């Protein structure tokens, strides 16, 4: 089969790789029908995630069909259409028993496209299949479903729930890429007074408006002042960091009000300064996290009911064998206007409007 292989920082290729095989009785083999690219994959290609070894097939999000299962798999069988979660769960360790599947110590956690071969291939082996794939309703579109593998549960759990968004809050989302847009969509479920999106790209700020942001700010034009003006000088109740660079994290800590929350979602490849000389007195809470995906069944039901704007997040689709082109489009989002790209579909591009903000 073919897969998208990481060969070291700045080096990758769509190439022939060995077919996956059942290694443990809890495994399943999935024929990939739709897959997407995550910002974390771009961090891997830059060398920001040194645990990923050269020769690894990338990807941790997919929709596909079960083609083979191990002898201990009970909840799915060949022919089932499933969502492959970005998080694998053994179900037995102390973390899994608490629902903290991202911290699994039994051979799970974030392993696909990280510690073992991932989903950006024609087939993928999924360990602990009973707890790590989700059967899909037949009517759910694959390009909608695949967004539930990572970005929606990540934004919801690590951003909105960890940030403790409540009715009447002022919520600021720094970074209007796919994760930030998903955070805006899921924050709206809690009826905040206002949501402010901060980004550099006019097209992404326009997308944030379409998803539900009440105000937008160019990151180069003093977004702190906008937040100050909107909140009578207090600052935001919740600030969600959805970029993963030192400057945006530090910006978040400047915009949060005393007693507020900063929820870091972005994947950081460099140290950020924590200005405790300013923050120690403000009673703020800073959270970090890897998604646990405990919310995936709930989000699946909401998507099936049309309650989440998944289709608005997909701007480009490609056949699976155009993986390298899809990476170029996604990685060059500032020029291409890409939000989420999905492979396994016919080629399609939705051009986002570029407006002055």
């Amino acid at each position: 089969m073919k897969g998208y292989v990481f060969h070291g920082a700045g080096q990758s290729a769509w190439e022939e790789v060995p077919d996956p095989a059942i290694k443990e009785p809890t495994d399943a083999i999935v024929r990939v029908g739709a897959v997407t690219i995550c910002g974390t994959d771009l961090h891997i290609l830059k060398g920001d995630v040194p645990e990923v070894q050269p020769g690894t097939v990338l990807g941790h999000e997919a929709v596909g069909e079960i083609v083979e299962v191990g002898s201990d798999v009970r909840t799915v069988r060949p022919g089932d259409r499933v969502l492959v979660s970005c998080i694998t769960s053994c179900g037995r360790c102390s973390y899994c028993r608490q629902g903290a599947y991202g911290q699994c110590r039994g051979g799970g956690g974030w392993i696909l496209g990280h510690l073992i071969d991932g989903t950006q291939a024609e087939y993928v082996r999924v360990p602990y299949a009973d707890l790590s794939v989700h059967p899909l309703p037949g009517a759910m579109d694959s390009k909608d479903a695949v967004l539930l593998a990572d970005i929606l549960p990540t934004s919801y759990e690590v951003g909105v729930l960890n940030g403790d968004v409540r009715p009447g809050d002022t919520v600021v989302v720094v970074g209007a890429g796919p994760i930030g847009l998903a955070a805006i969509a899921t924050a709206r479920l809690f009826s905040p007074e206002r949501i402010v999106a901060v980004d550099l790209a006019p097209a992404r700020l326009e997308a944030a408006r379409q998803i539900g942001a009440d105000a937008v700010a160019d990151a180069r034009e003093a977004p702190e002042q906008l937040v100050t003006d909107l909140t009578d000088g207090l600052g935001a109740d919740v600030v969600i960091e959805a970029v993963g660079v030192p400057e945006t994290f530090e910006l978040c800590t400047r915009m949060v009000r005393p007693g507020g929350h900063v929820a870091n979602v972005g994947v950081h490849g460099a140290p950020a300064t924590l200005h405790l000389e300013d923050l120690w007195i403000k009673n703020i809470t800073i959270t970090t996290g890897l998604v646990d995906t405990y919310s995936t069944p709930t989000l699946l039901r909401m998507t099936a009911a049309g309650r989440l704007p998944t289709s608005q997040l997909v701007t480009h689709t490609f056949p699976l064998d155009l993986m390298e082109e899809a990476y170029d489009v996604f990685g060059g989002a500032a020029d291409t206007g890409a939000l989420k790209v999905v492979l396994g579909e016919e080629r399609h591009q939705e051009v986002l409007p570029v407006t002055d903000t």
Side-chain angles (χ1 to χ4, degrees):
M1 70 168 190
K2 286 193 172 182
Y4 194 67
V5 182
F6 172 71
H7 290 294
Q11 303 176 62
S12 56
W14 177 253
E15 61 189 39
E16 292 287 338
V17 294
D19 291 346
I22 297 291
K23 294 183 178 180
E24 301 291 340
T26 52
D27 289 349
I29 305 298
V30 176
R31 179 189 296 116
V32 174
V35 69
T36 185
I37 302 170
C38 181
T40 304
D41 297 320
L42 299 183
H43 280 281
I44 292 171
L45 291 179
K46 288 169 59 181
D48 289 346
V49 189
E51 299 87 359
V52 181
Q53 295 299 306
T56 301
V57 175
L58 296 184
H60 49 266
E61 309 158 88
V63 168
E65 179 184 328
I66 301 283
V67 295
E68 185 180 0
V69 296
S71 59
D72 287 352
V73 176
R74 296 288 181 266
T75 61
V76 291
R77 60 185 180 180
D80 287 351
R81 181 168 171 262
V82 297
L83 171 70
V84 178
S85 176
C86 66
I87 296 296
T88 303
S89 168
C90 79
R92 298 178 178 178
C93 71
S94 59
Y95 283 104
C96 286
R97 288 177 181 271
Q98 299 171 45
Y101 308 122
Q103 303 301 321
C104 175
R105 291 298 183 265
W110 174 37
I111 58 173
L112 291 171
H114 180 205
L115 305 180
I116 66 172
D117 286 339
T119 58
Q120 290 171 5
E122 295 173 319
Y123 293 86
V124 59
R125 179 180 72 92
V126 182
Y128 300 117
D130 279 330
L131 292 171
S132 305
V133 302
H134 300 269
L136 290 174
M140 186 177 290
D141 192 290
S142 293
K143 69 176 180 293
D144 292 332
V146 76
L147 302 187
L148 297 163
D150 186 355
I151 68 162
L152 275 162
T154 293
S155 300
Y156 182 56
E157 295 175 19
V158 184
V160 175
L161 297 184
N162 281 4
D164 196 24
V165 174
R166 298 182 181 184
D169 278 354
T170 292
V171 178
V172 178
V173 178
V174 178
I179 287 286
L181 295 175
I184 291 169
T186 52
R188 283 173 54 84
L189 300 173
F190 293 85
S191 300
E193 179 182 359
R194 64 176 67 88
I195 300 175
V196 181
V198 178
D199 203 282
L200 294 170
R204 290 195 165 191
L205 292 174
E206 179 58 29
R209 286 189 187 275
Q210 295 175 10
I211 290 291
D214 301 288
V216 300
D218 188 313
R220 293 163 292 204
E221 297 179 0
E224 301 104 309
Q225 187 60 51
L226 172 63
V227 173
T228 297
D229 293 343
L230 289 173
T231 59
D232 295 325
L234 284 177
D237 298 279
V238 181
V239 187
I240 298 173
E241 200 287 331
V243 181
V245 297
E247 294 80 5
T248 53
F249 175 78
E250 293 167 29
L251 173 63
C252 290
T253 63
R254 294 196 298 271
M255 291 192 292
V256 68
R257 71 173 59 195
H261 290 72
V262 174
N264 183 87
V265 187
V267 177
H268 289 262
T273 301
L274 181 63
H275 287 282
L276 286 177
E277 73 278 12
D278 298 322
L279 299 173
W280 72 270
I281 201 170
K282 293 186 176 180
N283 291 25
I284 67 168
T285 299
I286 298 175
T287 56
T288 66
L290 174 65
V291 65
D292 293 312
T293 66
Y294 61 81
S295 67
T296 301
T298 298
L299 296 172
L300 273 169
R301 293 194 300 273
M302 295 182 69
T303 300
R307 301 296 186 186
L308 293 172
T310 50
S311 59
Q312 292 177 250
L313 299 175
V314 178
T315 54
H316 297 71
T317 61
F318 300 86
L320 195 61
D321 60 1
L322 292 183
M323 186 71 69
E324 293 177 351
E325 181 179 342
Y327 260 92
D328 288 341
V329 168
F330 185 64
D335 298 318
T336 64
L339 294 176
K340 204 65 174 167
V341 304
V342 174
L343 296 103
E345 304 270 336
E346 294 299 316
R347 183 198 294 265
H348 172 75
Q349 175 178 342
E350 177 182 328
V351 179
L352 292 175
V354 177
T355 61
D356 294 329
T357 56

